[in-house]
């Protein structure tokens, strides 16, 4: 009898063990899927790993598969090339201003579509990201990300200053370059202290709805002060007054979304329904992004064509400011093709150029739209699908990066500041060069992620080292071309930041640190497989019992 009991117990134990092992295996698979790691197992990550399977298949099949995997990238490249050809050929025909606007219309649609999706994407992705990661892990992730962004921006600023001092773009013989048809409308110079106070004010928007389309900016009003002493002169004081300017306050929305996400996590079970709502909203938004992505090549083609047709006196522009343009672009090329990939390779030991190929569509969109905010939706899609970055990391880090990380802008501002100093025969001492570096790094944080956003912050740097801001009109004249490479560098930095953090999380989760919460959070917060209706029914039953 005792033998039978032992046998029965053994069989029961083995059955339970088998069930447990199978359940763990299923959980691991689900975790892998939800973390975006499943993409790493696919034969086509970004078209470069396809050769592993191609032992037996014919060459035509292999080519077909590679083309299929990279269809969007190929279409985007084709769009840029065709856009240049259309632009150059249509330039020969003298078009009116109205006709030029009509040529750029399909491109304008792309920018409008991307901008439409920014707010739901940023808010929902940050709320769900912050809610699904343990606060300690969140702090650690955010800390590493900010450190990476700060270091790369400082390096970019240093490259800008060094190149400008070597190439000397502003050392012109004779008079200053003058360009016909330039308007001298230069942004009003702001005091440095007011610029930083504005940055802090924008972190805490007074109205969330207006933050979606307005941000706070300081203006100035001259007020006469009558002295009581009859002998003293009447003096005038420049008093700062608050104004609302057009343009999304993305910084305020980012801060609110992160704090709100952390608050939802604190609620525990009560916040679960709302977290699921934001997760679903986020997923739906990403589906919309994947549809918009297929329109991107057409939009980019017309954006490029429209810009080429629009250009006035190009020869004169390049003759007078060619060295400045070359200096900016060389700096962007060095930072984007050597420094950032170098940092990525040192830490991850992975090929950074494979990573770059995966985000090519987003980089081309950045070049076409010259807006890092507008590129954000496509960048998220690319790093998740092509480069195996988990959703939680990409959707938490990329919106912050699009707001805070402005490598390209910092580099261009440093070159421009040294350029204007050289134009005015103003020799910079060591302290002023350090001031340029620090101010460019700090002010690029608050630079709006919009076309020509960097020019406004350049005025702060010029004020800091005591240079006239009236030469900004020259910078504005070529900003349309420099701003494009700036934006490409900005978004590339964000993507490499996400890639590095993914590597950091993978490594630490193996060591069993607290950051494995990123994985566990995935199961708890974002898995919509557990039907919320069933849970809701259970909750209702509980309430009725109570």
């Amino acid at each position: 009898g005792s033998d039978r009991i032992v046998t029965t117990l053994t069989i029961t134990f083995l059955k339970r063990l088998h069930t447990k092992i199978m359940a763990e295996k299923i959980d691991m698979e689900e975790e892998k899927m939800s973390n975006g790691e499943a993409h790493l197992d696919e034969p086509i990550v970004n078209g470069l790993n396809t050769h592993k399977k191609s032992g037996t298949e014919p060459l035509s099949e292999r080519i077909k598969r590679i083309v299929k995997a990279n269809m969007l990238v190929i279409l985007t490249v084709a769009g840029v090339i065709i856009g240049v050809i259309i632009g150059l050929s249509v330039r020969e025909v003298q078009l009116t201003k109205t006709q030029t606007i009509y040529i750029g219309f399909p491109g304008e649609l792309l920018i409008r579509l991307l901008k439409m999706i920014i707010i739901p994407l940023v808010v929902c992705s940050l709320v769900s990201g912050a809610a699904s990661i343990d606060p300690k892990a969140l702090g650690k992730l955010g800390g590493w990300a900010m450190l990476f962004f700060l270091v790369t921006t400082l390096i970019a600023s240093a490259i800008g200053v060094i190149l400008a001092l070597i190439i000397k773009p502003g050392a012109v013989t004779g008079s200053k370059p003058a360009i016909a048809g330039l308007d001298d409308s230069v942004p009003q110079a702001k005091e440095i202290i007011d610029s930083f106070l504005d940055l802090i004010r924008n972190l805490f928007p007074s109205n969330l709805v207006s933050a979606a389309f307005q941000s706070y900016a300081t203006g100035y009003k001259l007020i006469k002060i009558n002295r009581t002493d009859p002998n003293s002169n009447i003096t005038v004081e420049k008093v700062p007054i608050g104004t609302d300017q057009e343009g999304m306050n993305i910084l305020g929305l980012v801060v609110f979304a992160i704090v709100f996400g952390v608050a939802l996590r604190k609620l525990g079970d009560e916040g679960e329904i709302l977290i699921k709502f934001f997760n679903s909203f986020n997923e739906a938004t990403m589906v919309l992004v994947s549809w918009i992505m297929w329109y991107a090549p057409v939009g980019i083609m017309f954006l490029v064509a429209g810009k080429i047709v629009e250009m006035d006196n190009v020869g004169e522009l390049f003759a007078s400011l060619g060295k400045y343009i070359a200096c900016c672009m060389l700096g962007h090329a060095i930072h984007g093709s050597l420094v950032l990939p170098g940092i990525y390779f040192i830490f991850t030991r992975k090929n950074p150029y494979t990573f770059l190929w995966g985000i090519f569509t987003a980089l081309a969109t950045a070049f076409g739209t010259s807006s890092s905010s507008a590129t954000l939706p496509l960048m998220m899609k690319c790093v998740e699908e092509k480069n195996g970055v988990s959703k939680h990391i990409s959707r938490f880090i990329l919106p912050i990066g699009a707001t805070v990380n402005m490598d390209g802008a910092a580099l261009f501002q440093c070159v421009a500041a040294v350029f204007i100093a050289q134009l005015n025969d103003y020799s910079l001492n060591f302290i002023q060069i350090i001031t340029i570096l620090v101010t460019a790094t700090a002010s690029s944080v608050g630079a709006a992620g919009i076309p020509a956003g960097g020019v406004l912050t350049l005025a702060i740097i010029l004020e800091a080292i005591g240079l006239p801001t009236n030469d900004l009109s020259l910078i504005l004249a070529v900003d349309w071309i420099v701003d494009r490479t700036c934006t490409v560098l900005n978004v590339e930095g964000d993507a490499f930041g996400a890639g590095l953090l993914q590597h950091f999380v993978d490594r630490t989760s193996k060591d069993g640190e607290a950051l494995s919460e990123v994985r566990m959070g995935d199961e708890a917060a974002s898995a919509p497989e557990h039907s919320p209706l069933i849970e809701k029914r259970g909750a209702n039953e509980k309430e009725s019992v109570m």
Side-chain angles (χ1 to χ4, degrees):
S2 62
D3 287 348
R4 268 182 74 187
I5 291 165
V6 170
T7 313
T8 313
L9 285 171
T10 310
I11 291 166
T12 312
F13 172 72
L14 286 171
K15 275 184 180 173
R16 281 187 179 172
L17 189 67
H18 179 259
T19 313
K20 196 176 179 187
I21 289 166
M22 289 305 288
E24 278 181 8
K25 201 173 180 185
I26 290 164
D27 282 353
M28 280 170 71
E29 285 298 318
E30 278 182 3
E31 193 175 334
K32 214 170 183 191
M33 287 295 288
S34 61
N35 249 336
E37 277 184 12
H39 298 303
L40 298 177
D41 300 333
E42 289 173 12
I44 303 161
V45 176
N46 46 29
L48 294 179
N49 289 4
T50 48
H51 60 276
K52 286 178 187 172
K53 263 178 73 177
S54 61
T56 51
E57 67 178 333
L59 185 66
S60 60
E61 285 295 315
R62 207 175 134 200
I63 291 168
K64 200 184 284 181
R65 202 175 66 243
I66 291 172
V67 168
K68 205 173 177 185
N70 297 289
M71 181 61 79
L72 198 62
V73 177
I74 293 163
L75 286 174
T76 309
V77 175
V80 173
I81 294 165
I82 296 166
V84 171
I85 294 166
I86 292 173
L88 291 172
S89 54
V90 173
R91 257 182 86 80
E92 303 305 312
V93 188
Q94 293 299 313
L95 292 180
T96 63
K97 190 80 181 156
T98 312
Q99 287 167 331
T100 310
I101 290 168
Y102 291 158
I103 285 178
F105 176 71
E108 188 192 331
L109 274 187
L110 174 68
I111 296 178
R112 292 178 76 89
L113 283 170
L114 290 170
K115 283 187 174 174
M116 171 188 74
I117 217 142
I118 292 170
I119 291 176
L121 189 74
V122 168
V123 173
C124 296
S125 63
L126 281 172
V127 168
S128 62
S132 61
I133 304 176
D134 174 60
K136 279 182 193 170
L138 190 71
K140 222 170 193 181
L141 273 182
W144 281 113
M146 295 311 283
L147 181 69
F148 170 77
F149 293 155
L150 185 68
V151 169
T152 52
T153 308
L154 264 174
I155 293 170
S157 302
I159 291 171
V161 169
I162 292 163
L163 278 179
L165 292 172
I166 294 168
I167 297 173
K168 293 188 168 55
V172 286
T173 49
S175 61
K176 273 191 198 179
I179 293 155
L182 258 195
D183 58 334
D184 290 329
S185 56
V186 171
Q188 187 186 9
K190 251 202 265 188
E191 298 293 329
I192 299 168
I193 180 77
D194 287 327
S195 300
F196 285 108
L197 289 178
D198 282 357
L199 184 65
I200 296 164
R201 285 186 188 110
N202 280 323
L203 285 174
F204 308 103
S206 58
N207 185 333
L208 278 178
V209 178
S210 67
F213 55 88
Q214 280 182 337
S215 55
Y216 184 95
T218 298
Y220 294 98
K221 193 177 179 183
L222 295 174
I223 295 177
K224 284 183 183 177
I225 300 171
N226 289 320
R227 302 279 183 203
T228 47
D229 181 9
N231 299 326
S232 67
N233 296 326
I234 294 171
T235 53
V236 174
E237 189 185 355
K238 189 164 81 165
V239 180
I241 52 163
T243 56
D244 288 320
Q245 65 175 15
E246 282 300 310
M248 191 192 311
N249 176 12
I250 199 162
L251 212 57
L253 293 174
V254 162
V255 170
F256 171 78
I258 292 172
V259 175
F260 190 68
V262 173
L264 278 182
R265 191 182 171 91
K266 284 273 179 218
L267 280 179
D269 292 340
E270 285 180 19
E272 201 70 30
I273 294 170
L274 204 48
I275 293 171
K276 281 186 174 144
F277 164 76
F278 279 112
N279 274 314
S280 303
F281 204 130
N282 199 3
E283 292 302 325
T285 313
M286 289 312 279
V287 172
L288 291 179
V289 171
S290 64
W291 294 344
I292 294 171
M293 274 177 94
W294 290 102
Y295 177 68
V298 180
I300 292 166
M301 179 171 81
F302 284 98
L303 276 172
V304 172
K307 202 72 219 181
I308 290 173
V309 173
E310 220 176 275
M311 294 186 309
D312 294 326
N313 47 27
V314 187
E316 190 187 336
L317 204 64
F318 276 89
S320 53
L321 296 170
K323 274 174 88 175
Y324 163 72
I325 296 168
C327 192
C328 285
M329 291 197 163
L330 181 63
H332 289 151
I334 291 169
H335 192 71
S337 59
L338 299 174
V339 176
L340 290 174
I343 293 170
Y344 180 77
F345 175 74
I346 289 164
F347 285 102
T348 64
R349 296 281 174 226
K350 291 176 188 166
N351 184 350
Y353 300 104
T354 311
F355 189 93
L356 276 178
W357 178 251
I359 57 167
F360 187 85
T361 307
L363 296 180
T365 309
F367 185 81
T369 59
S370 71
S371 166
S372 48
S373 301
T375 314
L376 180 63
L378 299 190
M379 184 54 87
M380 279 187 181
K381 201 84 182 143
C382 286
V383 293
E384 286 168 22
E385 289 189 358
K386 304 282 186 185
N387 292 333
V389 175
S390 77
K391 288 177 181 180
H392 282 146
I393 289 175
S394 72
R395 295 178 191 190
F396 172 65
I397 292 304
L398 290 177
I400 297 173
T403 318
V404 173
N405 184 34
M406 297 277 177
D407 294 359
L411 194 150
F412 129 78
Q413 286 163 12
C414 288
V415 172
V418 178
F419 166 70
I420 289 173
Q422 289 168 352
L423 274 184
N424 292 288
D425 290 329
Y426 186 91
S427 58
L428 297 166
N429 58 32
F430 183 70
I431 302 293
Q432 284 169 320
I433 288 171
I434 296 296
T435 308
I436 290 175
L437 283 177
V438 173
T439 318
T441 306
S443 64
S444 68
V445 170
I450 52 167
V455 176
L456 301 172
T457 48
L458 179 56
I460 303 169
I461 299 171
L462 296 180
E463 286 283 315
I465 53 172
L467 281 171
T469 53
N470 53 356
D471 286 330
L472 274 179
S473 55
L474 288 173
I475 305 297
L476 280 167
V478 290
D479 189 65
W480 60 267
I481 187 163
V482 174
D483 198 35
R484 288 168 197 279
T485 52
C486 269
T487 311
V488 170
L489 195 57
N490 291 344
V491 298
E492 186 190 323
D494 302 342
F496 273 126
L500 277 170
L501 277 179
Q502 180 65 49
H503 175 74
F504 170 69
V505 167
D506 288 344
R507 207 184 63 209
T508 47
S509 60
K510 279 174 196 162
D511 300 344
E513 282 189 17
L515 263 169
S516 59
E517 274 289 337
V518 175
R519 305 272 184 247
M520 288 153 67
D522 234 341
E523 301 276 313
S526 73
E529 293 86 57
H530 315 301
S531 169
L533 293 172
I534 297 166
E535 287 169 24
K536 198 188 268 183
R537 197 185 303 153
N540 289 344
E541 281 166 18
K542 265 190 213 164
E543 281 168 21
S544 60
V545 168
M546 287 162 90

